[in-house]
């Protein structure tokens, strides 16, 4: 029993799957479809999506195309990197972090156009459906959500193609189109499916689309300098740029030097394990550099507290809880820690390696040669250490004298 | 005012500093000195230490030399790697994890020889004094601890050398001896001091002693297979070996392929920041492989719980709390998680890169192609996801309907 | 579309609701119904449930009745109290902790009788459905689960009664039966519904069934002594008893002295807030006493670590994850901490108050008058504190000298 | 070897101990002493302290007396209660939270008067020395700190009295002065020493100075209503007052009804266990009420996150890290959560019991009868729960089908 929907905003890529969904929404729900196509740096032209939408009967005023690249990097990627977020020890959350922005824009367009529903092309087995829908429900719980993959019976490639042909949707594969299930944005590109469904199997060399094979990267290393302001990247090699430009530039550097490929098995929020391959060239560099600038500007206990809450923060983003009180609370904690994270980091890039070779902060370094030098100094009284150790050991001393064994 | 000490066990390397300490203990405390020299894989012969001790007047029965390599890897390194322990996002704890074993052996020898004190050559500014002393006090709180660096006035290189010469201790530098302050064991080698005291300065190329510069590593990659049993490495390329042999073999591989160099600024427990360079060739490979075998055998929430407590566990080891109730509690939690962590991981090593290219577990894989396939399946009902999302979003729905904004 | 079920094990109380379910299962699924009725200390006779089941056509060999009181206290309540578990600062988890035991016994009976499904009478809005089903699926994922409240259309009191009358089920209310939705076991009794659905409204005085109103409790206080062994209660006033007897005895004491009433709004796992009133007389005393015996026998950092993981542990139990790797991991951590938690606690009970008035441990006290006395002592050198403070402050000193403000 | 100090600001109570310190500082350091006496609600007149200081030779302009009661409650007590902070499950941190304010004011006066040191009367065994000194060093690391109890040899009551007599300091005990070591402020009063040094012994009835014995509290209960704004108490029974007035009023209520006595053994930061008795009448009521207003206004995961970080936050305060980056980070997290914590709580006070009997929030309640009712509803689809449970159980299902046992 279908809900009664009058207008739906569809997250529309212009590709085959979302074109089928567009048609299916029109047919099944008999509703007006509004398409939303975002440029978040996935590296595809958007005009073909507009033409396709129009050709499928979407009204001109119902085609929304937006460049979200700077918003994406400034309000999503950068805040996340302040936390040094990594999911399950490896994954830089490239897909996860883009979803709430899509959800937010879908809701904004729905509110503006008085639509009563949103729709997306994520399947019922993945994380993205959760991220889209939790985001949308947090921002406007009155919107209905249509997830065709969970509703329809087009549950195989064959049935999909048959449906497309029946409805006159072009099924010709784009030349060079990858057979993998992919996602891309300014932070990363990902691959799932096919041979990757066997975690013991190595992916084909030509699966990787962005980052050079380290073996084919230049034989000369390259030294770069990243500058940070309050924990955010603000300049590369002395050049200030917009957030999106900075990340694009870092991507170019990573791609060139074979940096940021990753092949993992991860745990999905919906319960199963899943193999994914990722390329996060700029993000991999950024994470290393951010940790390095923190290493001289962040207080020890601030750093440790960040590390302790990071896995939870990363899980929240992975699971789709960007718009949630708990993410905002953790973000407040993280942001509070970043006010002194200012300075420059020098890195050497070479065939897959990102090597920190220097860090400095004009005003905010807590590194004090006077205290750590192996030479004589006048600021630190080594005798203090005796009391420090003795009192830290006092609970062991008392326990031991009482016969307790460790 | 010196304590009245009759017999002291000294952690003795045979080098200049601990030889001076040996002499100083004899002179200042007028006590019998027992020397303890361990082979924990630092790559130095031990017999010279014996000869040196004897030449400084230590009685033959008071010279203790022990090969602790297997105990080190089996009871310290492996348990720590079960936790995927990393300090401050980067450091594999190579120095930290060896200290409790030294402390434990010092205490054992003191107990056996009825000594009333132990002594060590760690300075009053570093972490090692804390690790030695917390360990010793936890194991025998009745032993006195003599930390000459905190007591004497030999607080510069010059005074030390003068003292040595005055007491007939050979101060000739060994040919090729590094000018850096170093520590080495089967897990790693570390460097501090000199140019490293400026965090903006890159270390000299010849500082690094073990791992090949990635640029000079072979142009051909090498594929290896590591096998795990209950979370511990048990075979390399199908060959079972003792724990120490396994780690030594991994070190050879890492060294050859330029793997495991690290240059960081870290936060010491005694309060200051400190620059350190580390080479952990085998450990870097092991960590990557352990995460990979966990990725298919460990339950999601078990993995996340491990990640959440890891920073605390790593800090405990870094700070010297190996022998503590809280480390034992965390270890119990970690070990409980490892019973199914069995299987094999394939890795490709290439110029500093450790790339996972396959993982499998004959009996304990939780990866199920049936559940994650992009093809039609009969085990997963996509409609379940709707309810899952809806109830996870319920608190947002209620909040949103009450007008709360995120 | 109903699943094809041949035999189902029903958690059967003998009351109206589960009797209707029994009938409904027979009618709708045309399957053999096995009833399971447990004595977990809810304070009701079980024989009427047997008679009722037989009268509804259940075969004699299909009626299972078990006394689980000792297993409940020994393997569920006591392990949980080792953790000092409290949900949301207030709730002692009385309902939550009984559910996994019911689930486990349902699965055991299903395995024994080759049943292919289990069924329960929990509604689709509450936590108990989750607890039953997560427990059952963790123990035997091949069993089908029938949750009639989520399936049928008997979604109002009226329809239920009509169904009962139509099928000849006695709907006469037992005299004195509470109109509230209740749950009871040896640890607690709970109330939901009716006036409680307004969180601003005070419950009627006669809602409370067990614990005396503090105002009507005796004017004389009573002093009791509880003895613990490895963190578990083992004797009351010097008398050793079985776990269930101990808890029953504590309940009597709490009931008499008006101890353990609680009126809260809690957050359900399925997403909404819910008002509940609870009486946990013995548990309230036990928690206070357990903390008190820990206060002299547990190491400081062990205690703090327990406190830090407790909220997560409590949520796991509340949410139904008793049988999960993560609960087992946390339990391993907790149990590791309890080996020295031995000794006696004296408490004074008076009109709702549980006051600790003494604690002692013959062999495991870490309390040392020598160290904390205000008199002169010879074991603690107050000068140690200067170094302790100085090094703990070092990061502030360095930051402050660099101009950083707090 | 004494440091060369010209001017020192002493935390001065006017009592015997700090008067001796005053004299001792003048004599030993030959320095100018500035006294600082604060009213933080300890319930003692301050003018005698002024007279005493003047009589001991302190210059008129060097006597500082300040009323800090409102600052104390507004900027220290209230922020802490937003976190529901409890140390080791029991202690409301009454002493701990006052120390940073004293430290801050000492530093302010030192800065204003160009003093080069501060001094305090805390002993070398306790927590307070740490709290004073960490606070002071965080705020001005250039100040020297003089802790006479760690320096002098007046380490017994006898020697102290002899010193006092020798220097003409009046040693007559004030009539009614408690023999216990005490601390008091607007939040609490505490007792240590004497019979309390035996944790098995009950304190004398007349030790308690503030709160009525529950047995002597009124036989009639009293109902009160507390109102909260952004997590802070703002009115009692409809009457708005200043923070200090609110807490004073709550104290009166608690004192009258026998609320807030506590007798515990706690773990000091300097390593030993210590017995303390506390009376926190208003704070005990406030904590209960704050949790109750949160129970209807706070999101579930926000509440759980607060509970998870609370033990760490409480330890920070206990250990003296109020002025630290990590406390500020946690405070940012906590404060972010409190913006909707608005509303009223009704409590019944009776002989030591604080019973919540109602909570409401005009605009910010997340409690929705529509969702939790036992009656039929139209907002919640019970079938959603099936999918919710199924996907939450998926990891168990897969594990179980692979033969894994829990």
């Amino acid at each position: 029993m279908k809900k009664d929907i009058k207008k739906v905003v569809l997250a529309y890529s212009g590709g085959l799957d979302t074109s089928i969904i567009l048609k299916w929404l029109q047919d099944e729900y008999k509703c007006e479809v509004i398409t939303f196509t975002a440029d978040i740096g996935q590296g595809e032209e958007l005009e073909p999506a507009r033409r396709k939408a129009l050709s499928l009967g979407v009204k001109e005023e119902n085609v929304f195309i937006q460049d979200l690249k700077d918003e994406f990097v400034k309000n999503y990627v950068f805040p996340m990197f302040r936390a040094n977020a990594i999911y399950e020890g490896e994954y830089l959350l490239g897909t996860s972090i883009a979803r709430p922005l899509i959800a937010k824009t879908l809701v904004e367009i729905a509110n503006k156009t008085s639509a009563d529903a949103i729709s997306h092309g994520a399947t019922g087995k993945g994380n993205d459906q959760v991220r889209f829908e939790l985001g949308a429900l947090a921002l406007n719980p009155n919107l209905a959500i249509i997830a065709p993959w969970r509703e329809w019976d087009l549950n195989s490639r064959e049935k999909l193609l048959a449906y497309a042909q029946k409805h006159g949707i072009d099924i010709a594969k784009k030349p060079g189109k990858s057979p993998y299930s992919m996602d891309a944005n300014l932070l990363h590109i990902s691959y799932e499916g096919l041979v990757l469904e066997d975690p013991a199997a190595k992916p084909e060399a030509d699966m990787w689309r962005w980052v050079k094979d380290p073996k084919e990267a230049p034989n000369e290393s390259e030294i770069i300098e990243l500058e940070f302001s309050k924990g955010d990247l603000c300049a590369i090699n002395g050049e200030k740029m917009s957030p999106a430009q900075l990340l694009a530039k870092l991507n170019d550097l990573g791609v060139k030097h074979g940096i940021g490929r990753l092949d993992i098995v991860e745990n999905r929020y919906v319960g199963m394990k899943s193999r994914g391959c990722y390329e996060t060239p700029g993000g991999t560099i950024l994470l290393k550099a951010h940790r390095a600038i923190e290493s001289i500007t962040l207080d020890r206990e601030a750093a440790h507290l960040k590390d302790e809450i990071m896995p939870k923060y990363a899980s929240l983003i992975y699971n789709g809880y960007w718009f949630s009180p708990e993410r905002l609370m953790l973000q407040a904690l993280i942001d509070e820690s970043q006010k002194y994270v200012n300075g420059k980091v020098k890195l050497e890039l070479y065939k897959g390696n990102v090597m920190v070779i220097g860090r400095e902060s004009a005003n905010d370094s807590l590194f004090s040669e006077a205290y750590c030098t192996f030479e004589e100094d006048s600021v630190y009284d080594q005798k203090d250490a005796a009391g420090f150790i003795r009192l830290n050991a006092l609970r062991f001393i008392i326990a031991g004298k009482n016969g307790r064994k460790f």
Side-chain angles (χ1 to χ4, degrees), chain A:
Chain A
M1 191 190 50
K2 302 271 176 240
K3 281 168 255 174
D4 182 30
I5 300 294
K6 293 196 176 51
K7 245 192 213 179
V8 61
V9 187
L10 170 66
Y12 183 62
S13 73
L16 177 60
D17 287 13
T18 50
S19 294
I20 292 174
I21 288 173
L22 201 171
K23 193 76 204 157
W24 183 86
L25 288 169
Q26 292 168 331
D27 283 4
E28 294 288 316
Y29 282 88
K30 316 284 181 210
C31 65
E32 189 175 342
V33 177
I34 295 162
T35 61
F36 162 57
T37 310
D39 183 355
I40 46 167
Q42 66 270 47
E44 283 177 4
E45 283 181 66
L46 305 184
E47 283 313 306
R50 179 193 305 277
R51 287 196 300 271
K52 193 90 174 258
L54 295 173
S55 81
L56 288 164
V58 177
K59 297 187 213 156
E60 193 138 10
E61 72 266 27
N62 280 347
V63 176
F64 285 78
I65 290 185
Q66 294 186 23
D67 180 348
L68 300 176
K69 293 200 296 293
D70 266 313
E71 185 178 0
F72 176 51
V73 180
K74 184 169 175 238
N75 295 340
Y76 296 78
V77 175
F78 278 1
M80 179 174 80
F81 273 80
R82 282 175 218 146
N84 302 319
I86 307 180
Y87 182 67
E88 298 188 339
E90 301 277 7
Y91 172 41
L92 297 189
L93 295 162
T95 300
S96 325
I97 191 62
R99 299 318 193 189
L101 174 55
I102 304 294
K104 172 170 161 279
T105 317
L106 283 172
V107 169
E108 284 169 356
I109 295 172
N111 291 347
K112 201 176 340 183
T113 61
S114 302
D116 45 4
I118 62 165
S119 182
H120 62 77
T123 79
K125 293 176 140 186
N127 295 303
D128 288 331
Q129 57 175 341
V130 190
R131 295 166 187 152
F132 282 133
E133 298 180 27
L134 289 180
L137 289 166
L139 296 171
N140 184 344
N142 298 313
L143 287 172
I145 292 172
I146 305 175
W149 283 97
R150 299 199 306 253
E151 293 190 16
W152 66 26
D153 54 357
L154 306 177
N155 50 2
S156 73
R157 214 64 218 158
E158 261 171 48
K159 291 184 195 165
L160 264 187
L161 294 180
Y163 184 92
Q165 276 186 303
K166 188 175 139 196
H167 291 85
I169 300 169
D170 180 18
I171 63 167
K173 253 190 168 175
K174 271 194 286 186
K177 189 171 168 359
S178 169
Y180 288 91
S181 174
M182 289 168 51
D183 173 68
N185 60 48
L186 202 50
L187 181 58
H188 96 330
I189 185 167
S190 69
Y191 313 88
E192 292 183 307
L194 300 176
V195 63
L196 300 182
E197 292 183 5
D198 174 6
K202 190 179 169 180
E204 298 97 343
D206 67 357
M207 176 195 74
W208 307 98
R209 298 256 150 168
W210 282 8
V211 172
K212 261 209 184 117
D213 187 329
K215 290 171 202 162
E216 289 159 22
N219 290 321
E220 297 303 308
S221 70
E222 180 169 0
I223 291 175
I224 62 171
E225 188 189 74
L226 304 194
E227 184 171 350
F228 289 86
S229 171
K230 293 183 199 292
D232 292 343
L233 182 64
C234 63
I236 300 176
N237 293 331
E239 195 180 346
K240 307 249 171 211
M241 287 176 266
S242 81
Q245 288 169 328
L246 286 164
L247 185 50
K249 172 73 182 163
L250 269 194
N251 279 339
D252 291 346
L253 290 162
V255 160
K256 173 178 168 194
H257 289 288
I259 291 161
R261 288 186 176 187
L262 180 68
D263 177 343
I264 56 166
V265 174
E266 73 199 50
N267 290 291
R268 287 194 191 150
Y269 189 31
V270 291
M272 73 287 279
K273 290 181 181 293
S274 150
R275 167 83 167 284
C277 288
Y278 300 96
E279 305 185 64
T280 320
T284 302
I285 300 171
L286 184 56
L287 176 64
K288 192 85 177 175
H290 185 258
R291 276 216 173 263
I293 190 62
E294 284 194 337
S295 78
I296 57 165
T297 58
L298 207 58
D299 171 82
R300 180 185 70 202
E301 296 303 311
H304 291 193
L305 179 53
K306 284 187 66 206
D307 283 349
E308 284 179 25
I309 59 92
M310 184 278 280
K312 185 176 191 77
Y313 178 87
S315 285
L316 286 177
I317 294 179
Y318 186 86
N319 292 346
Y321 291 95
W322 181 262
F323 298 113
S324 70
E326 62 272 28
R327 205 276 306 171
L328 292 172
M329 287 163 69
L330 289 170
Q331 196 71 54
L333 178 150
I334 292 159
D335 291 356
E336 167 70 29
S337 76
Q338 299 291 293
K339 49 191 173 191
Y340 298 111
V341 181
N342 305 310
K344 293 173 186 171
V345 175
K346 267 212 186 79
L347 302 160
E348 186 171 359
L349 311 180
Y350 173 71
K351 285 187 186 289
N353 296 275
V354 185
M355 296 169 285
V356 178
I357 57 174
R359 31 345 231 160
E360 58 182 298
S361 174
N363 301 309
D364 296 297
S365 175
L366 296 174
F367 186 94
S368 170
E369 196 179 325
Y371 281 93
C372 68
T373 182
F374 279 83
E375 301 305 306
E376 222 171 328
D377 76 83
S378 59
V379 291
Y380 181 94
D381 182 351
Q382 301 207 18
K383 287 182 184 55
D384 285 342
F388 178 75
I389 295 171
R390 189 90 192 154
L391 292 204
N392 277 316
L394 192 57
R395 58 195 176 101
F396 303 143
I397 294 170
I398 294 171
K401 286 183 188 274
N402 276 307
R404 200 168 287 192
K405 299 273 171 240
F406 292 103

